[in-house]
Amino acid sequence: MIGKPLSLYFHIPFCTKKCPYCNFYVLPNKPIFQEKLIDGLRQEWKQLTPLIEKGTLVSLYFGGGTPSLFDLKYLQEILSWIPSQEIEITLEANPEDLSLEKAKALRAAGINRLSLGVQSLDDELLKKIGRNHSASQAINRCEKAGFENLSIDLMYDLPGQTLSTWEKTIQTAVKLPITHVSLYNLTIEPHTSFYRSQKAIESQMPGDETSLQMYIRAQEMLQSHGLTQYEISAFGTPSLHNSGYWSGRNFLGLGPSAFSFWEGTRKRNICHLNRYQKMVASGLRPIDFTETLPPLAQEREKLAINLRLLKGVSDLPIDRECLKIIDSLIADGFLKKNAGSISLTQKGILFYDTVASEIIL
Ligand code: SF4
Protein backbone atom coordinates (compact mmCIF):
# COMPACT_ATOMS: atom_id res chain seq x y z
CA MET A 1 0.00 0.00 0.00
CA ILE A 2 1.29 3.49 -0.82
CA GLY A 3 1.18 5.79 2.20
CA LYS A 4 0.46 9.51 2.33
CA PRO A 5 3.25 11.86 1.17
CA LEU A 6 5.71 12.58 3.96
CA SER A 7 8.66 14.92 4.41
CA LEU A 8 11.50 14.71 6.92
CA TYR A 9 13.37 17.57 8.54
CA PHE A 10 16.67 17.23 10.46
CA HIS A 11 17.69 20.15 12.67
CA ILE A 12 21.47 20.57 12.73
CA PRO A 13 21.97 23.43 15.21
CA PHE A 14 25.67 24.28 14.78
CA CYS A 15 26.95 27.72 13.78
CA THR A 16 30.42 29.21 13.88
CA LYS A 17 28.95 32.37 15.42
CA LYS A 18 25.49 33.65 16.21
CA CYS A 19 24.09 36.22 13.79
CA PRO A 20 22.71 39.28 15.60
CA TYR A 21 19.17 38.81 14.22
CA CYS A 22 18.91 35.04 14.77
CA ASN A 23 16.50 33.46 17.22
CA PHE A 24 16.87 29.83 16.10
CA TYR A 25 18.19 27.18 18.45
CA VAL A 26 21.92 27.17 17.66
CA LEU A 27 25.04 25.84 19.36
CA PRO A 28 28.78 26.35 18.87
CA ASN A 29 30.24 23.85 16.46
CA LYS A 30 32.11 21.40 18.73
CA PRO A 31 32.89 17.71 18.03
CA ILE A 32 31.33 16.66 21.35
CA PHE A 33 28.04 18.34 20.39
CA GLN A 34 28.15 16.73 16.96
CA GLU A 35 28.58 13.28 18.58
CA LYS A 36 25.67 13.93 20.93
CA LEU A 37 23.48 15.01 18.06
CA ILE A 38 24.16 12.01 15.83
CA ASP A 39 23.67 9.72 18.81
CA GLY A 40 20.31 11.36 19.55
CA LEU A 41 19.27 11.27 15.90
CA ARG A 42 20.03 7.52 15.70
CA GLN A 43 17.70 6.91 18.65
CA GLU A 44 15.01 9.25 17.39
CA TRP A 45 15.13 7.65 13.93
CA LYS A 46 14.43 4.27 15.58
CA GLN A 47 11.49 5.78 17.48
CA LEU A 48 10.01 7.27 14.32
CA THR A 49 10.66 4.38 11.93
CA PRO A 50 7.12 2.92 12.27
CA LEU A 51 5.62 6.31 11.33
CA ILE A 52 8.11 6.92 8.54
CA GLU A 53 7.28 3.51 7.08
CA LYS A 54 3.60 4.48 6.95
CA GLY A 55 4.27 7.35 4.55
CA THR A 56 5.73 7.84 1.11
CA LEU A 57 8.84 9.93 1.50
CA VAL A 58 8.94 12.86 -0.92
CA SER A 59 11.58 15.17 0.52
CA LEU A 60 14.24 15.49 3.16
CA TYR A 61 15.64 18.76 4.47
CA PHE A 62 18.70 19.46 6.62
CA GLY A 63 18.05 22.84 8.28
CA GLY A 64 19.70 24.70 11.08
CA GLY A 65 21.89 26.16 12.28
CA THR A 66 24.36 25.47 9.55
CA PRO A 67 24.03 21.85 8.42
CA SER A 68 27.05 22.22 6.13
CA LEU A 69 29.12 22.21 9.36
CA PHE A 70 27.88 18.73 10.29
CA ASP A 71 30.57 16.11 9.74
CA LEU A 72 30.16 14.57 6.29
CA LYS A 73 30.30 11.06 7.73
CA TYR A 74 27.23 11.87 9.87
CA LEU A 75 25.31 13.27 6.91
CA GLN A 76 26.23 10.13 4.95
CA GLU A 77 25.04 7.96 7.82
CA ILE A 78 21.65 9.72 7.93
CA LEU A 79 21.28 9.40 4.17
CA SER A 80 21.98 5.67 4.47
CA TRP A 81 18.82 5.34 6.62
CA ILE A 82 16.59 6.76 3.89
CA PRO A 83 14.80 4.11 1.83
CA SER A 84 15.03 6.06 -1.44
CA GLN A 85 17.39 8.82 -2.48
CA GLU A 86 15.29 9.59 -5.57
CA ILE A 87 13.67 12.44 -3.64
CA GLU A 88 14.46 16.12 -3.10
CA ILE A 89 17.27 16.28 -0.53
CA THR A 90 18.13 19.83 0.53
CA LEU A 91 20.92 21.02 2.76
CA GLU A 92 21.15 24.56 4.11
CA ALA A 93 24.69 25.82 3.79
CA ASN A 94 26.73 28.87 4.60
CA PRO A 95 28.53 29.98 1.43
CA GLU A 96 31.72 30.49 3.49
CA ASP A 97 31.91 26.77 4.25
CA LEU A 98 31.71 25.53 0.70
CA SER A 99 35.00 24.75 -0.97
CA LEU A 100 34.76 22.95 -4.32
CA GLU A 101 35.83 19.69 -2.61
CA LYS A 102 33.18 20.07 0.08
CA ALA A 103 30.46 20.82 -2.47
CA LYS A 104 31.50 17.80 -4.55
CA ALA A 105 31.47 15.58 -1.45
CA LEU A 106 27.97 16.76 -0.51
CA ARG A 107 26.73 16.08 -4.02
CA ALA A 108 28.31 12.62 -4.01
CA ALA A 109 26.66 11.90 -0.64
CA GLY A 110 23.23 12.34 -2.24
CA ILE A 111 22.36 15.98 -1.46
CA ASN A 112 20.70 17.28 -4.65
CA ARG A 113 19.60 20.76 -3.60
CA LEU A 114 21.47 23.44 -1.67
CA SER A 115 19.85 26.35 0.09
CA LEU A 116 22.48 29.02 0.62
CA GLY A 117 22.12 31.67 3.31
CA VAL A 118 23.43 34.47 1.13
CA GLN A 119 21.32 37.30 2.69
CA SER A 120 22.98 40.05 0.68
CA LEU A 121 25.53 40.48 -2.07
CA ASP A 122 26.66 43.81 -0.65
CA ASP A 123 29.86 43.42 1.40
CA GLU A 124 29.25 46.52 3.55
CA LEU A 125 25.79 45.32 4.54
CA LEU A 126 27.06 41.83 5.25
CA LYS A 127 29.48 43.28 7.78
CA LYS A 128 26.62 45.16 9.48
CA ILE A 129 24.57 41.99 9.94
CA GLY A 130 27.58 40.03 11.16
CA ARG A 131 28.07 37.93 8.02
CA ASN A 132 31.16 37.69 5.96
CA HIS A 133 31.34 35.77 2.73
CA SER A 134 31.74 35.95 -0.94
CA ALA A 135 28.61 34.20 -2.02
CA SER A 136 28.93 34.63 -5.77
CA GLN A 137 32.09 32.50 -5.94
CA ALA A 138 30.52 29.91 -3.64
CA ILE A 139 27.46 29.58 -5.88
CA ASN A 140 29.62 29.15 -8.95
CA ARG A 141 31.62 26.45 -7.11
CA CYS A 142 28.39 24.62 -6.24
CA GLU A 143 27.35 24.60 -9.88
CA LYS A 144 30.79 23.26 -10.82
CA ALA A 145 30.35 20.54 -8.21
CA GLY A 146 27.23 19.31 -10.03
CA PHE A 147 24.38 21.06 -8.18
CA GLU A 148 21.62 21.91 -10.62
CA ASN A 149 19.17 22.95 -7.94
CA LEU A 150 20.51 25.95 -6.05
CA SER A 151 18.45 28.21 -3.85
CA ILE A 152 19.54 31.41 -2.14
CA ASP A 153 18.03 33.41 0.71
CA LEU A 154 18.04 37.17 0.32
CA MET A 155 17.17 39.67 3.06
CA TYR A 156 15.71 43.12 2.77
CA ASP A 157 14.86 45.74 5.39
CA LEU A 158 18.43 45.53 6.62
CA PRO A 159 19.97 48.46 8.55
CA GLY A 160 21.63 50.83 6.09
CA GLN A 161 20.09 49.12 3.05
CA THR A 162 18.59 51.33 0.34
CA LEU A 163 16.34 50.54 -2.59
CA SER A 164 19.32 50.99 -4.88
CA THR A 165 21.68 48.63 -2.95
CA TRP A 166 18.86 46.08 -2.79
CA GLU A 167 18.38 46.31 -6.57
CA LYS A 168 22.11 45.78 -7.05
CA THR A 169 21.97 42.64 -4.92
CA ILE A 170 19.15 41.25 -7.05
CA GLN A 171 20.89 42.23 -10.28
CA THR A 172 23.95 40.28 -9.14
CA ALA A 173 21.88 37.36 -7.90
CA VAL A 174 19.99 36.79 -11.15
CA LYS A 175 23.25 36.43 -13.07
CA LEU A 176 24.23 33.48 -10.87
CA PRO A 177 23.36 29.84 -11.70
CA ILE A 178 20.46 29.73 -9.23
CA THR A 179 17.05 28.09 -9.63
CA HIS A 180 15.29 29.48 -6.57
CA VAL A 181 15.20 32.57 -4.35
CA SER A 182 13.58 32.96 -0.93
CA LEU A 183 13.04 36.51 0.30
CA TYR A 184 13.07 37.47 3.96
CA ASN A 185 12.63 40.81 5.59
CA LEU A 186 14.59 41.48 8.75
CA THR A 187 12.44 41.12 11.82
CA ILE A 188 13.84 41.96 15.22
CA GLU A 189 13.02 39.03 17.47
CA PRO A 190 13.35 38.83 21.25
CA HIS A 191 16.50 37.15 22.59
CA THR A 192 18.67 38.42 19.73
CA SER A 193 21.54 40.85 19.78
CA PHE A 194 19.59 43.20 17.46
CA TYR A 195 16.72 43.16 19.96
CA ARG A 196 19.03 44.46 22.67
CA SER A 197 19.98 47.44 20.48
CA GLN A 198 16.59 47.66 18.83
CA LYS A 199 16.28 51.45 18.83
CA ALA A 200 19.62 52.04 17.12
CA ILE A 201 18.97 49.27 14.58
CA GLU A 202 15.42 50.40 13.81
CA SER A 203 16.57 53.94 13.14
CA GLN A 204 18.80 52.57 10.35
CA MET A 205 16.17 50.31 8.81
CA PRO A 206 14.51 51.45 5.56
CA GLY A 207 10.94 52.10 6.82
CA ASP A 208 7.58 50.70 5.70
CA GLU A 209 7.21 52.48 2.36
CA THR A 210 10.75 51.61 1.16
CA SER A 211 10.31 48.09 2.46
CA LEU A 212 7.21 47.65 0.32
CA GLN A 213 9.06 49.07 -2.70
CA MET A 214 11.93 46.64 -2.09
CA TYR A 215 9.56 43.70 -2.15
CA ILE A 216 7.79 44.93 -5.31
CA ARG A 217 11.11 45.53 -7.11
CA ALA A 218 12.26 42.04 -6.13
CA GLN A 219 9.05 40.58 -7.59
CA GLU A 220 9.55 42.48 -10.86
CA MET A 221 13.25 41.81 -11.23
CA LEU A 222 13.22 38.12 -10.28
CA GLN A 223 10.26 37.36 -12.52
CA SER A 224 11.74 39.22 -15.46
CA HIS A 225 14.70 36.84 -15.16
CA GLY A 226 12.51 33.75 -15.30
CA LEU A 227 12.23 33.14 -11.55
CA THR A 228 8.46 32.90 -11.37
CA GLN A 229 6.85 33.68 -8.06
CA TYR A 230 4.94 30.66 -6.71
CA GLU A 231 4.61 31.66 -3.05
CA ILE A 232 4.64 34.93 -1.16
CA SER A 233 8.36 34.76 -0.49
CA ALA A 234 9.54 32.14 -2.99
CA PHE A 235 10.52 32.37 -6.66
CA GLY A 236 11.78 29.88 -9.24
CA THR A 237 11.63 26.08 -9.33
CA PRO A 238 9.27 25.22 -6.48
CA SER A 239 10.83 23.58 -3.44
CA LEU A 240 9.02 20.27 -3.02
CA HIS A 241 9.83 20.33 0.68
CA ASN A 242 8.62 23.83 1.47
CA SER A 243 5.54 23.39 -0.72
CA GLY A 244 4.60 20.60 1.68
CA TYR A 245 4.53 23.05 4.61
CA TRP A 246 2.17 25.31 2.68
CA SER A 247 -0.11 22.52 1.51
CA GLY A 248 -0.46 20.70 4.85
CA ARG A 249 1.68 17.60 4.09
CA ASN A 250 2.72 15.45 7.05
CA PHE A 251 6.31 16.06 8.12
CA LEU A 252 8.46 14.73 10.90
CA GLY A 253 11.24 16.82 12.42
CA LEU A 254 14.23 15.19 14.12
CA GLY A 255 16.79 16.87 16.36
CA PRO A 256 16.51 19.47 19.13
CA SER A 257 13.91 22.21 18.45
CA ALA A 258 12.61 20.47 15.30
CA PHE A 259 8.89 20.81 14.56
CA SER A 260 6.64 18.02 13.25
CA PHE A 261 3.16 18.09 11.77
CA TRP A 262 1.32 14.79 11.70
CA GLU A 263 -2.38 14.39 10.88
CA GLY A 264 -3.28 17.84 12.19
CA THR A 265 -1.10 17.77 15.31
CA ARG A 266 1.93 20.02 15.63
CA LYS A 267 4.79 19.06 17.93
CA ARG A 268 8.12 20.57 18.83
CA ASN A 269 11.20 18.81 20.12
CA ILE A 270 12.92 20.16 23.21
CA CYS A 271 15.36 23.03 22.51
CA HIS A 272 18.25 21.56 24.49
CA LEU A 273 20.77 19.12 23.05
CA ASN A 274 21.70 17.36 26.33
CA ARG A 275 18.11 16.87 27.42
CA TYR A 276 17.11 15.84 23.91
CA GLN A 277 19.82 13.18 23.84
CA LYS A 278 18.97 11.90 27.31
CA MET A 279 15.27 11.67 26.55
CA VAL A 280 15.68 9.72 23.32
CA ALA A 281 18.33 7.48 24.95
CA SER A 282 15.82 6.51 27.63
CA GLY A 283 13.14 5.73 25.07
CA LEU A 284 11.11 8.94 25.59
CA ARG A 285 9.85 11.13 22.78
CA PRO A 286 11.81 14.42 23.15
CA ILE A 287 8.74 16.62 22.80
CA ASP A 288 8.02 19.77 24.82
CA PHE A 289 5.08 21.21 22.90
CA THR A 290 2.02 19.63 21.30
CA GLU A 291 -0.93 21.41 19.72
CA THR A 292 -4.02 20.04 18.00
CA LEU A 293 -6.41 22.76 16.94
CA PRO A 294 -10.16 22.08 16.96
CA PRO A 295 -11.39 20.98 13.48
CA LEU A 296 -12.80 24.37 12.48
CA ALA A 297 -9.65 26.25 13.51
CA GLN A 298 -7.57 23.63 11.68
CA GLU A 299 -9.54 24.13 8.49
CA ARG A 300 -9.15 27.92 8.73
CA GLU A 301 -5.42 27.72 9.42
CA LYS A 302 -4.94 25.30 6.53
CA LEU A 303 -6.75 27.69 4.18
CA ALA A 304 -4.65 30.68 5.30
CA ILE A 305 -1.38 28.75 4.86
CA ASN A 306 -2.48 27.22 1.53
CA LEU A 307 -3.21 30.70 0.20
CA ARG A 308 0.49 31.52 0.46
CA LEU A 309 0.85 29.43 -2.70
CA LEU A 310 -0.12 31.70 -5.57
CA LYS A 311 -1.76 28.91 -7.57
CA GLY A 312 -4.61 29.29 -5.08
CA VAL A 313 -6.93 26.93 -3.27
CA SER A 314 -9.79 24.94 -4.79
CA ASP A 315 -10.64 22.90 -1.71
CA LEU A 316 -12.74 25.60 -0.04
CA PRO A 317 -14.03 25.32 3.51
CA ILE A 318 -17.69 24.59 4.16
CA ASP A 319 -17.78 26.86 7.22
CA ARG A 320 -20.35 29.57 6.34
CA GLU A 321 -18.68 32.23 8.44
CA CYS A 322 -15.43 31.59 6.59
CA LEU A 323 -17.16 31.75 3.19
CA LYS A 324 -18.47 35.20 4.18
CA ILE A 325 -14.97 36.32 5.10
CA ILE A 326 -13.70 35.06 1.73
CA ASP A 327 -16.43 37.05 -0.06
CA SER A 328 -15.49 40.23 1.79
CA LEU A 329 -11.76 39.66 1.08
CA ILE A 330 -12.72 39.30 -2.61
CA ALA A 331 -14.82 42.50 -2.45
CA ASP A 332 -11.89 44.35 -0.83
CA GLY A 333 -9.50 43.19 -3.55
CA PHE A 334 -7.31 40.89 -1.43
CA LEU A 335 -8.50 37.66 -3.08
CA LYS A 336 -9.72 36.74 -6.55
CA LYS A 337 -11.88 33.90 -7.80
CA ASN A 338 -10.89 31.68 -10.71
CA ALA A 339 -13.16 28.85 -11.84
CA GLY A 340 -13.95 27.50 -8.39
CA SER A 341 -10.63 28.36 -6.75
CA ILE A 342 -9.47 31.43 -4.87
CA SER A 343 -6.04 33.01 -4.82
CA LEU A 344 -4.27 36.13 -3.60
CA THR A 345 -4.30 39.28 -5.72
CA GLN A 346 -1.19 41.48 -5.73
CA LYS A 347 -2.83 43.49 -2.91
CA GLY A 348 -3.38 40.21 -1.03
CA ILE A 349 0.28 39.25 -1.54
CA LEU A 350 1.49 42.60 -0.22
CA PHE A 351 -0.89 42.52 2.75
CA TYR A 352 -1.01 38.79 3.38
CA ASP A 353 -0.93 39.32 7.17
CA THR A 354 -4.31 41.06 6.91
CA VAL A 355 -5.74 38.16 4.88
CA ALA A 356 -4.39 35.55 7.31
CA SER A 357 -5.61 37.40 10.39
CA GLU A 358 -9.13 37.64 8.91
CA ILE A 359 -9.25 33.91 8.16
CA ILE A 360 -7.51 32.37 11.16
CA LEU A 361 -9.68 31.88 14.22
S1 SF4 B 1 23.85 31.14 10.29
FE1 SF4 B 1 21.59 31.05 10.36
S2 SF4 B 1 21.11 29.73 12.07
FE2 SF4 B 1 23.26 30.32 12.32
S3 SF4 B 1 23.22 32.09 13.67
FE3 SF4 B 1 23.17 32.86 11.56
S4 SF4 B 1 20.98 33.08 11.05
FE4 SF4 B 1 21.14 31.79 12.89
Side-chain angles (χ1 to χ4, degrees), residues 14-15 17-19 21-22 24 26 64-66 94 119 131:
F14 312 116
C15 288
K17 66 179 171 127
K18 181 111 180 177
C19 300
Y21 52 86
C22 178
F24 294 125
V26 296
T66 313
N94 183 346
Q119 321 312 359
R131 307 281 296 229

Side-chain angles (χ1 to χ4, degrees), residues 100-218:
L100 182 59
E101 290 66 39
K102 175 98 188 214
K104 279 185 179 166
L106 291 170
R107 186 69 196 90
I111 310 290
N112 51 33
R113 185 171 182 275
L114 288 177
S115 172
L116 299 163
V118 169
Q119 321 312 359
S120 170
L121 291 160
D122 177 327
D123 290 340
E124 282 306 305
L125 267 180
L126 283 168
K127 270 186 223 153
K128 275 198 177 159
I129 60 166
R131 307 281 296 229
N132 172 32
H133 55 69
S134 180
S136 302
Q137 286 103 310
I139 293 163
N140 286 318
R141 284 198 296 274
C142 295
E143 189 200 27
K144 222 172 167 187
F147 281 98
E148 291 171 0
N149 212 348
L150 283 169
S151 176
I152 61 170
D153 293 347
L154 293 177
M155 283 180 90
Y156 62 104
D157 265 355
L158 296 173
Q161 195 175 36
T162 62
L163 187 55
S164 135
T165 56
W166 172 236
E167 286 175 347
K168 272 190 208 139
T169 279
I170 300 173
Q171 265 159 15
T172 311
V174 293
K175 289 186 194 130
L176 296 168
I178 53 170
T179 51
H180 189 271
V181 174
S182 296
L183 297 183
Y184 295 93
N185 61 326
L186 176 69
T187 48
I188 300 187
E189 307 281 354
H191 315 296
T192 63
S193 149
F194 271 4
Y195 189 76
R196 289 183 281 279
S197 43
Q198 189 166 10
K199 276 205 177 130
I201 297 295
E202 273 177 354
S203 68
Q204 297 173 47
M205 284 169 69
D208 291 349
E209 186 50 36
T210 310
S211 166
L212 203 62
Q213 287 309 316
M214 285 177 166
Y215 178 84
I216 294 170
R217 280 302 285 143

Side-chain angles (χ1 to χ4, degrees), residues 7 58-59 87-88 113 230 238-245 249:
S7 291
V58 293
S59 67
I87 57 171
E88 182 185 277
R113 185 171 182 275
Y230 68 97
S239 151
L240 200 56
H241 187 83
N242 291 345
S243 298
Y245 294 145
R249 185 189 304 146

